[in-house]
Amino acid sequence: MTVTTDAPSRPPAAPPRAPAWASLLTGAVAAAVALGTSELLAGLIGPAPSLVLSVGNGVVELGAGTPVKDVAIALFGTGEKTALVIGTVVLALVFGAVLGWVADRVSVVAAGAGLVAFGLLGVGSTLASPLDSTAWAVVIAAAAVAAGVAVLVRLQARTARLHLGGASTAGPGEGAAGARREFLRIALGLAAVGGVVGVLGRTLNGRSRVASVRSTVTLPPAATAPEVPEAVSFEGIDGLTPFFTPNEDFYRIDTALMAPSVDVATWSLRVHGMVDTEVSLTYDDLLALEQFEADVTIACVSNEVGGDLIGTARWQGVRLADVLAMAGVQDGADQVVGRAVDGWTAGFPTEVALDGRDAMIAVAMNGEPLPVEHGFPARLIVPGLYGYVSATKWLQDIELTTWEAFDGYWVPRGWAKEGPVKTQSRIDVPRRGADVQPGRVVIAGVAWAQHRGVARVEVQIDDGPWQAAELADELNVDTWRQWRLEWDAAEGDHLIRVRATDADGMTQSEAPVPVAPDGAEGYHARSIRVA
């Protein structure tokens, strides 16, 4: 008798999967191609940002009014936007790598849906910007997603030849190695293409911005500011901040991830609200008005104690009071609101524009048309106020209204509505980490109290008495002053502190205060070793 038994049934073999590294690389390359495609199209089309910029702008908006903004500025300073762009690209590539894993382990359709979601995120970020075309944003996002999905599908098909353990449909040994080489060649080639077209797109965008907005501008003559005497600056002190800040070194803190490109042929400045007559000025109209120059130090409210988010320039423009007089300010209009072409706003008391200070609509900076990054074609400069309540760049609109009727961009996000610049001082020399030898040493820096003026600067070494520093001449009450003190340095570790007193007799506060909601306070200190 023959006895037979049924052999247990085996589950069907799972389809071969590519190594995890291949899946992750597939998704990252697909994301790189998508990003590169969007950069190229944004550079060619113009009215809408690339996916990187649109998502980055969304991050800027979400981070406004939160500690994220302050942390970013503290870590990266004026490089915060570059850091944000790089961070956005890195996160997009990581997200793409995850989608590559999803494509191999779940389905290509699910991974494609993830790319579509990223594209929609970019489109959604353009809705809040008056400069961006949502229609073109959809076109750019759709083309970028299509390119990414195409690469994902192609590379995912190639990964089918890479079995777990390095086996290949072509057989072991040379077949497996050949399959890997072929996959890497295609993947890295596509990644290079994505990078090249991305750089090309960014270059096209940058060239068109700069070339179209400034190349043909000729500045009119202006009533020149008083001559700058040599005594406003100490000579021969290595590391001391220069009195005037070169344009290329001037700080830039704003909410625009990419500076708006403004066509002066179509730009105009509107003055309206609580006025007798609404005024509209083209760029030529603005240049035709009486021009003057003023030396003014401006500062960012996010400047930490001892920070460098401050600078001095010679500004040229039109007196804000003259333009407001053209419109006729009505009784009760106690707030001036400036609006930028990208929708950003700032507001300050009307009396500040009319009290005789050099508040201006600026068109030039240090003898040249405003750089794009600093507000071309026009911006507001209001001495004595932090930029977040006054220094509207890329200005296109001035509204006269009441103090209660409107809050500028930063006020609902937790910052004070009034932003007078606080009295502060900074140690520039000796530099942090510098080697200091015993003997005669110069301690030097700058101090500021815009529209009040700096009357005294004092320096304390260790727990010793406060010593009066020598002040360079004051150019005007709206600019900072350099200071210096000679010190007989003895060997050892030392702590240097500085404080300033303004012309009203108020000495800056010692107690540390964070930048929010209306500016940092505290003495700047620097530890050094003399050896």
Side-chain angles (χ1 to χ4, degrees):
M1 180 176 66
T2 302
V3 180
T4 60
T5 58
D6 293 332
S9 60
R10 296 180 178 178
R17 289 178 176 171
W21 65 265
S23 299
L24 296 174
L25 180 59
T26 292
V29 170
V33 171
L35 295 179
T37 301
S38 74
E39 290 289 343
L40 179 61
L41 291 177
L44 292 171
I45 295 172
S50 66
L51 286 177
V52 171
L53 289 180
S54 58
V55 172
N57 284 330
V59 173
V60 169
E61 184 65 24
L62 290 174
T66 71
V68 173
K69 166 188 171 289
D70 300 330
V71 170
I73 292 176
L75 288 176
F76 304 109
T78 56
E80 58 161 340
K81 293 175 177 60
T82 300
L84 177 57
V85 169
I86 293 173
T88 303
V89 171
V90 170
L91 289 177
L93 295 179
V94 171
F95 180 63
V98 172
L99 293 182
W101 186 90
V102 169
D104 193 59
R105 268 61 176 178
V106 182
S107 72
V108 175
V109 173
L115 282 173
V116 171
F118 185 77
L120 291 175
L121 176 63
V123 172
S125 298
T126 66
L127 297 178
S129 173
L131 291 180
D132 298 333
S133 164
T134 302
W136 279 118
V138 170
V139 172
I140 292 174
V145 169
V149 169
V151 169
L152 184 70
V153 170
R154 179 179 181 185
L155 288 182
Q156 206 272 338
R158 290 284 178 177
T159 61
R161 301 184 182 183
L162 303 174
H163 294 182
L164 289 172
S168 169
T169 54
E174 182 63 30
R180 285 194 295 273
R181 284 196 299 271
E182 181 185 20
F183 171 76
L184 288 173
R185 178 179 60 80
I186 296 174
L188 296 180
L190 288 170
V193 169
V196 169
V197 298
V199 170
L200 176 61
R202 183 58 61 91
T203 301
L204 288 173
N205 195 303
R207 284 179 179 172
S208 64
R209 282 192 304 122
V210 176
S212 64
V213 297
R214 296 180 73 230
S215 61
T216 61
V217 175
T218 300
L219 293 173
T224 306
E227 183 178 349
V228 179
E230 292 183 2
V232 302
S233 181
F234 292 127
E235 299 296 331
I237 303 179
D238 185 30
L240 178 61
T241 299
F243 186 83
F244 285 104
T245 310
N247 290 356
E248 60 271 18
D249 297 332
F250 214 95
Y251 78 93
R252 177 197 166 195
I253 298 293
D254 50 57
T255 61
L257 195 56
M258 176 175 284
S261 176
V262 180
D263 182 0
V264 295
T266 58
W267 176 88
S268 64
L269 172 62
R270 179 187 179 211
V271 184
H272 66 107
M274 296 177 65
V275 297
D276 296 332
T277 304
E278 184 170 315
V279 173
S280 180
L281 299 171
T282 66
Y283 189 62
D284 287 341
D285 292 336
L286 198 59
L287 296 183
L289 295 176
E290 183 179 357
Q291 304 277 311
F292 79 109
E293 291 182 328
D295 301 320
V296 180
T297 299
I298 62 172
C300 178
V301 71
S302 295
N303 198 32
E304 299 278 358
V305 171
D308 60 359
L309 302 182
I310 181 170
T312 300
R314 171 159 290 189
W315 308 92
Q316 176 181 329
V318 177
R319 292 192 181 278
L320 178 58
D322 291 348
V323 173
L324 296 184
M326 293 170 62
V329 179
Q330 295 179 352
D331 292 340
D334 54 5
Q335 181 175 199
V336 177
V337 175
R339 286 185 176 84
V341 296
D342 62 354
W344 189 86
T345 57
F348 54 91
T350 305
E351 63 181 1
V352 171
L354 305 177
D355 66 1
R357 72 184 71 191
D358 287 331
M360 71 163 72
I361 302 171
V363 296
M365 179 180 182
N366 289 329
E368 64 177 82
L370 285 172
V372 175
E373 292 77 9
H374 293 291
F376 184 86
R379 65 173 295 171
L380 289 174
I381 293 293
V382 184
L385 299 183
Y386 284 120
Y388 84 102
V389 296
S390 65
T392 307
K393 295 191 283 190
W394 312 294
L395 180 69
Q396 75 167 6
D397 185 287
I398 294 175
E399 180 183 4
L400 276 297
T401 185
T402 65
W403 192 248
E404 297 78 18
F406 186 83
D407 290 331
Y409 179 89
W410 285 111
V411 177
R413 292 163 172 81
W415 294 77
K417 188 158 184 173
E418 295 190 63
V421 176
K422 297 180 178 180
T423 303
Q424 280 289 326
S425 52
R426 186 181 74 202
I427 302 167
D428 290 343
V429 181
R431 297 176 180 175
R432 185 179 290 105
D435 293 330
V436 179
Q437 297 181 347
R440 204 70 169 168
V441 172
V442 174
I443 304 171
V446 289
W448 57 91
Q450 288 94 308
H451 209 58
R452 299 182 302 281
V454 173
R456 185 170 69 253
V457 172
E458 299 167 290
V459 178
Q460 183 187 52
I461 300 169
D462 300 324
D463 294 322
W466 287 97
Q467 305 176 57
E470 178 188 358
L471 290 174
D473 285 353
E474 180 181 72
L475 180 58
N476 62 60
V477 296
D478 294 328
T479 58
W480 55 14
R481 296 183 76 174
Q482 292 181 345
W483 58 266
R484 69 182 178 187
L485 177 76
E486 292 191 357
W487 168 48
D488 290 321
E491 291 187 353
D493 294 328
H494 300 279
L495 178 67
I496 304 171
R497 299 201 302 168
V498 64
R499 69 184 183 188
T501 300
D502 65 30
D504 292 337
M506 296 295 295
T507 300
Q508 67 180 91
S509 171
E510 178 181 8
V513 171
V515 296
D518 61 356
E521 297 179 24
Y523 294 167
H524 187 215
R526 179 159 293 175
S527 297
I528 64 168
R529 170 165 291 182
V530 179

